[in-house]
């Protein structure tokens, strides 16, 4: 089962996806015809006390990239 990747612009959630791919810091990502740069990545374990529901979530901080 893929993990959840959440992309944020500051405190605002831009998009949430299920994926096996977590971008690296410095990567450029196109979302809704806008180019974003990955500036930071943190991880969380959701439902850590329930092994049947537990999952990994990557929180990707973005900054709009002027191209």
């Amino acid at each position: 089962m893929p993990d959840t990747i959440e992309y944020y612009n500051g405190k605002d959630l831009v998009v949430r996806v299920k994926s096996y791919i977590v971008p690296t810091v410095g990567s450029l990502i196109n979302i809704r015809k806008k180019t974003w740069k990955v500036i930071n990545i943190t991880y969380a374990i959701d439902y850590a006390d329930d092994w049947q529901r537990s999952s990994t979530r990557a929180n990707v901080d973005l900054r709009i990239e002027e191209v």
Side-chain angles (χ1 to χ4, degrees):
M1 172 170 58
D3 296 319
T4 301
I5 317 297
E6 294 182 348
Y7 294 89
Y8 289 92
N9 178 21
K11 293 184 179 189
D12 298 325
L13 180 66
V14 176
V15 66
R16 177 183 296 124
V17 297
K18 294 283 187 183
S19 178
Y20 293 105
I21 301 170
V22 177
T24 57
V25 171
S27 296
L28 297 177
I29 300 175
N30 187 289
I31 303 171
R32 297 184 192 103
K33 299 181 182 180
K34 293 182 182 176
T35 301
W36 301 83
K37 185 171 188 173
V38 176
I39 56 173
N40 190 43
I41 301 169
T42 58
Y43 297 90
I45 304 297
D46 295 323
Y47 309 107
D49 295 326
D50 183 348
W51 67 271
Q52 292 179 328
R53 293 178 58 200
S54 63
S55 62
T56 303
R57 176 171 36 96
N59 303 301
V60 179
D61 296 320
L62 301 171
R63 179 181 64 222
I64 196 78
E65 191 72 7
E66 300 298 328
V67 201

